[in-house]
Amino acid sequence: DLATLCVSASVGPKVLRQHYAEFVSRQAIDTIVVVDGGTDTLMRGDESGLGTPTEDATTLAAITDIPDVDRVLVCLGFGIDAHHGVCHRQVLEAAADLTKSGHSYGPLQLARGVPEVDAYVEACRFAAARNPIGPSIVQASICDALDGHYGNHHSTLRTRGSRLCINPLMTMYWGFDLDAVARRNLYLD
């Protein structure tokens, strides 16, 4: 099962690529949209803080060579990666670089009162209430930003003791050409 394979720490990009390619072919998929809960996928690998580079590089490496499919990266949750050491000035530099080279699709903001966004918040809260480990920090932060919280706001015990940067930019999807992001990544060689 592809979902199980994707979360397995023992699977590298070559095996993951084979499974993605098979799934894309079998389902006649024409576009893959990779969603990063945060923005650390934009990091090249030489920045001062990288977030979770292994996960991001594995995903990029697995998807970039799948033929006959468009690939898009969207990042939701600007500021979430701060607790992993990501410098968001460097995220903005990466976004500017991708914009300059014509590989940015621009931002799209989520807003409360839109039925799909309200359903997303409801689904996040439903899942959080039933998760024995605790709510997703990424989803909780985005929902907090959608509710208008700012700064070091903690809605889950999982973040106690850390410094959060809840902010309105967390509610924006930033879209990029995934292949261009992969070309910038220094780990893929």
Side-chain angles (χ1 to χ4, degrees):
D1 161 70
L2 185 59
T4 303
L5 183 67
C6 290
V7 297
S8 170
S10 62
V11 174
K14 288 182 181 179
V15 171
L16 194 55
R17 181 185 303 121
Q18 291 170 343
H19 288 278
Y20 272 123
E22 179 183 323
F23 184 75
V24 164
S25 175
R26 188 175 48 223
Q27 299 297 323
I29 293 172
D30 62 3
T31 304
I32 296 173
V33 178
V34 173
V35 180
D36 182 4
T39 53
D40 58 342
T41 302
L42 298 176
M43 301 293 91
R44 285 184 312 266
D46 60 354
E47 293 85 0
S48 59
L50 300 176
T52 55
T54 303
E55 296 169 9
D56 301 324
T58 299
T59 300
L60 290 174
I63 292 176
T64 53
D65 293 333
I66 297 174
D68 304 320
V69 66
D70 293 321
R71 290 167 288 278
V72 176
L73 169 68
V74 293
C75 300
L76 175 65
F78 182 89
I80 288 173
D81 301 313
H83 73 279
H84 283 143
V86 171
C87 172
H88 286 87
R89 178 186 56 81
Q90 292 174 322
V91 170
L92 292 172
E93 287 175 345
D97 183 51
L98 288 159
T99 299
K100 186 184 294 183
S101 65
H103 296 106
S104 172
Y105 301 128
L108 170 72
Q109 187 165 6
L110 303 179
R112 290 305 298 260
V114 174
E116 295 81 1
V117 176
D118 291 343
Y120 160 75
V121 171
E122 185 179 328
C124 289
R125 293 195 172 135
F126 177 87
R130 285 153 185 81
N131 186 337
I133 299 171
S136 161
I137 294 169
V138 169
Q139 301 309 328
S141 297
I142 293 166
C143 290
D144 289 345
L146 282 166
D147 287 341
H149 295 286
Y150 181 79
N152 195 26
H153 173 80
H154 298 263
S155 64
T156 171
L157 294 175
R158 290 188 66 200
T159 60
R160 298 288 184 218
S162 66
R163 179 113 176 106
L164 298 182
C165 184
I166 306 299
N167 69 83
L169 295 178
M170 286 183 172
T171 66
M172 295 177 70
Y173 275 102
W174 303 57
F176 302 97
D177 178 303
L178 187 131
D179 292 338
V181 172
R183 285 191 298 273
R184 295 177 79 253
N185 191 293
L186 302 175
Y187 291 116
L188 297 190
D189 282 343

